[in-house]
Amino acid sequence: MTGKMVLPAALAAMLGGSAFAQEPVELRFMWYSDGNEGEVIADLVSRFEEENPDIRVVLDNVAYAVIRDQLPVQLEAGQGPDLARVTTLKDLAPHWLDLRGLVEEPAYWEENFGNYLDWMRPEGSDIIPGYMTQLTVTGPFVNRTLFEQAGVELPGEGATWDEWAAAVNEVAADQGIPMPLAIDRSGHRFAGPAISMGAQFIADDGSPAIIDDGFKAMAERIAGWHEDGTMSPEIWGSVSGTTLRAANEEFANAQVVMYYSGSWQIGQFAETIGDAFDWAAVPNPCGPAACTGIPGGAGVVGIKYTEHPEEVARLMDWLASEPVLKEFYERTLFLPGHAGLTASGLEYQSDNPSVKESLDTFVRSVGQLAPLANRMPAWDWANIVYFATVSRLGQVVAGELSLEDAYRRIEEDVDQQIAEAQR
Amino acid sequence: MTAKPKRKVGVRARLAGLLIAPARRAMDLIDIPMHALQRRLGTGGVAAAMLAPNMLVFGVFVLFPMFLNVLYSFTGGGALFLNERVFVGTLQYETLLDCGSYADPATCREDRFWRAAGNTAFFVVIQVVALVIVSLMTALVLNREMRARGFWRAVFFFPVLLSPVVVALIWKWILQRNGVLNAMLVPLGIEPVLWLVERQWAMFWAIFVAIWAHLGFYTLILLAGLQAIPRDLYEAAEMDGTSRWRALTRITLPLLWPSLVVVILLALIRAVQVFDEVFVLTGGGPGTATLFLVQYIYETGLAQQVRNLGLASAASILMALVLIVLTLLQLLAAARRERRENR
């Protein structure tokens, strides 16, 4: 071939090639991170892309507030990403893609994620919308070093909330710590201790029945602990409305003796605290009715407005497969939301004894959850009740409302929200 | 008869002429279709055609959403689209206005709205008055002959360049329990103060930070106004032995009045719309101590489990009405003053 012919031929080959090569399908995956899970999923997704060159996954790593506030609006408008990691699994369930006819083995999904599928299904439905990236349980962490330095014995399993309050006050007084006890400013975190005190939340017909003696017992403690200095107003009293205010930074800075949050903090504490002091999760404190936290978690779901449902299902099949999910849980230090992996156990990738002990404590606490606590994630009105609770109890802590007024307002707020939802 | 001296055209002027020539040519080219258009539409028609794209953008992105907002305020339900929402008449307005006593938010059905309205009114009055006074004083100082005047002007303007979120985060770090301010107070034997958790302090800092962040912008407007006042007026006053205070009240303030009206109007509108800085700084807390109307609207419409767009829209319409009334009053006052001065 002469030089004059080679160039046009090469150009023709290039043009022809590009015309026939199929562009990979692009999937948008909305993700948020509490700890290192953003890096882990990015790593896994790039491996998936290598194995599946016809699919390109764009991982949109966003703040949790975007998932909470903006994604619902996008979904209402029939838009949004192709798949997302969310925590409001039940409330947004009408927008999830049904994977039953799309995944390779629906039986695998039912068998391993069956316990949690109701948390993400519309009421009365049997669709397969996604899988749990983590199972979470609310519960307390303690700064063990402070207890040791103060010479105060750590209350053991079965200790009540009042016994814990007395112990952390003793430690804080001895060590000059400004926050003996901190509980995330969240109705979700409040619910477990309230159930321990005997709160019922759900009436027989499934409607909210919020204000009872159990609820009042915990609400009175929250108010009382702020008055006597057990809890600092910096968490519950510092912001307004339904705003979530966590105390993880204060705990990591050794400003808190006991911090009530949940299992999702373990990965973050492993990084932020490291071995600066000894910390560990401890069993949920008890009330007269139970010693329970609230289960929950985050899941990956397909969005039904996607233009590529088959590719979404392929990605989810791959991510939810046992070896991939095992690696994900072990690297992120998350509790597994997969029956097979729960049974076979995981080898978490951490040398930190605090991490191992905390994971063991939370795994044990899953088996000790009150039946009502297990119902909460699948209850339609749970988030409405959580939001009203935190908004009004926040006003009590700030001195704007009496407890009696707060109870009345909580019921009014919940009624108004339900009326609006059912209109 | 003497010969006229030949005008010398400088090199610089020639160079400028060369550079401008292509622009002139381009303008001549534009002139052709413009003349045709003017013949067809008339002078007014051309003006309308020029304004049309801007009006279209304004209509689509401002007027139409405002109109939609009014419609949403008469609907209820959790749906996003107007056609899926339920018409509820004036229910949302009735909910907002249902009060035992407007002076006591606790007696109102939507108590958070009234707490937010009260906080906003307080914020507007204090912040606008303080902002205008401080801006005026700053402008008067920066208008004087002084060393490094440009530097000082830049210092006061710098916060305007920062994002409101950055401003709020900076002040949050200063004001938190272990922040810079407490770190300075503790060595003096003062107990750390929870600046953003105590109600009065939280409102004080919300106002202070808002003034700090916007001071430079308003100072700049007033500075421009001050520099437009002829110097000979002051010189004449000085020759007449006028005191500085009299010069300020009889020369500076009356001649600065148009700039002051602009500053007051802009500050007023901005104060009623306060949201971003305070939302990041205090989150509306403690309790509802720094909850303002825009945050109430945002939380009601977007941050609830059931997004109550109807109630949020009704609240925003009420807020807009207050804003319109305030603006009209302000403009009326300015017009009356101008008429009085012209007489």
Side-chain angles (χ1 to χ4, degrees), chain A residues 36-57:
Chain A
N36 70 338
E37 63 268 36
E39 296 155 33
V40 176
I41 197 74
D43 189 16
L44 294 175
V45 160
S46 63
R47 266 162 42 198
F48 170 81
E49 286 176 325
E50 280 170 23
E51 291 174 27
N52 300 271
D54 58 324
I55 299 177
R56 195 165 75 86
V57 183

Side-chain angles (χ1 to χ4, degrees), chain B residues 15-73:
Chain B
L15 199 63
L18 275 174
L19 286 172
I20 291 167
R24 279 200 182 135
R25 278 263 175 252
M27 294 309 289
D28 288 346
L29 284 174
I30 293 169
D31 223 21
I32 300 163
M34 289 307 291
H35 270 114
L37 200 67
Q38 203 168 348
R39 273 198 300 276
R40 197 174 174 82
L41 300 174
T43 315
V46 171
M50 291 292 180
L51 283 173
N54 196 20
M55 291 308 288
L56 189 72
V57 170
F58 182 71
V60 170
F61 293 106
V62 179
L63 288 181
F64 183 62
M66 280 168 71
F67 175 66
L68 275 183
N69 196 7
V70 175
L71 293 181
Y72 268 89
S73 71

Side-chain angles (χ1 to χ4, degrees), chain A residues 68-69 72-74 76-78 88 91-92 178-179 185 232-243 245 253 255 380-381 383-384 387 391-392 394-395 398-401 405 408-409 412-413 416-421 423, chain B residues 75-81 84-86 88 91-92 95 105-112 115 176-178 194 196-197 199 279 282-289 291 295 298-300 302-311:
Chain A
R68 195 183 92 150
D69 299 338
V73 179
Q74 291 179 22
E76 282 292 333
T88 42
D91 296 323
L92 300 173
M179 299 185 193
R185 188 184 187 277
S232 163
E234 282 163 272
I235 309 300
W236 278 68
S238 67
V239 288
S240 153
T242 59
T243 309
R245 170 76 164 85
N253 287 323
Q255 301 282 301
D380 269 345
W381 309 121
N383 279 323
I384 287 177
F387 278 18
S391 172
R392 295 307 182 175
Q395 284 183 274
E400 283 176 4
L401 289 181
D405 286 340
R408 180 174 57 82
R409 289 286 185 184
E412 285 173 5
D413 289 352
Q416 190 200 37
Q417 285 269 294
I418 291 176
E420 206 63 32
R423 211 188 290 279
Chain B
T75 64
L80 182 67
F81 292 113
E84 293 167 8
R85 295 179 62 81
V86 183
V88 294
L91 179 75
Q92 309 291 13
T95 305
T107 63
C108 299
R109 192 164 148 201
E110 202 51 33
D111 62 322
R112 298 183 77 245
R115 287 181 198 276
Q176 63 194 11
R177 183 196 282 270
N178 297 321
L194 298 178
L196 300 176
V197 178
R199 301 178 66 81
F279 185 64
T282 66
T288 55
L291 175 73
Q295 187 182 339
Y298 161 72
E299 286 183 350
T300 306
L302 294 169
Q304 298 274 0
Q305 199 56 37
V306 180
R307 287 173 294 282
N308 202 335
L309 293 170
L311 198 63

Side-chain angles (χ1 to χ4, degrees), chain B residues 1-193:
Chain B
M1 197 175 158
T2 54
K4 243 183 181 177
K6 222 177 181 180
R7 270 184 71 191
K8 279 185 183 170
V9 182
V11 179
R12 202 178 282 180
R14 279 187 190 177
L15 199 63
L18 275 174
L19 286 172
I20 291 167
R24 279 200 182 135
R25 278 263 175 252
M27 294 309 289
D28 288 346
L29 284 174
I30 293 169
D31 223 21
I32 300 163
M34 289 307 291
H35 270 114
L37 200 67
Q38 203 168 348
R39 273 198 300 276
R40 197 174 174 82
L41 300 174
T43 315
V46 171
M50 291 292 180
L51 283 173
N54 196 20
M55 291 308 288
L56 189 72
V57 170
F58 182 71
V60 170
F61 293 106
V62 179
L63 288 181
F64 183 62
M66 280 168 71
F67 175 66
L68 275 183
N69 196 7
V70 175
L71 293 181
Y72 268 89
S73 71
F74 293 106
T75 64
L80 182 67
F81 292 113
L82 199 56
N83 58 341
E84 293 167 8
R85 295 179 62 81
V86 183
F87 178 76
V88 294
T90 55
L91 179 75
Q92 309 291 13
Y93 292 96
E94 287 165 24
T95 305
L96 288 175
L97 299 174
D98 182 5
C99 266
S101 159
Y102 290 115
D104 181 9
T107 63
C108 299
R109 192 164 148 201
E110 202 51 33
D111 62 322
R112 298 183 77 245
F113 172 76
W114 287 100
R115 287 181 198 276
N119 290 340
T120 308
F122 181 81
F123 180 88
V124 167
V125 171
I126 304 296
Q127 197 256 2
V128 171
V129 171
L131 180 62
V132 171
I133 292 172
V134 178
S135 300
L136 181 61
M137 285 162 61
T138 314
L140 287 170
V141 171
L142 292 178
N143 196 38
R144 297 165 71 100
E145 290 298 327
M146 62 163 83
R147 266 186 165 186
R149 190 164 66 168
F151 169 76
W152 291 114
R153 285 179 182 178
V155 164
F156 281 97
F157 192 72
F158 179 68
V160 180
L161 303 175
L162 298 176
S163 141
V165 174
V166 174
V167 167
L169 284 176
I170 290 170
W171 281 98
K172 205 170 181 173
W173 290 328
I174 292 171
L175 299 170
Q176 63 194 11
R177 183 196 282 270
N178 297 321
V180 178
L181 188 55
N182 277 332
M184 286 160 63
L185 293 178
V186 169
L188 303 174
I190 300 169
E191 283 288 302
V193 181

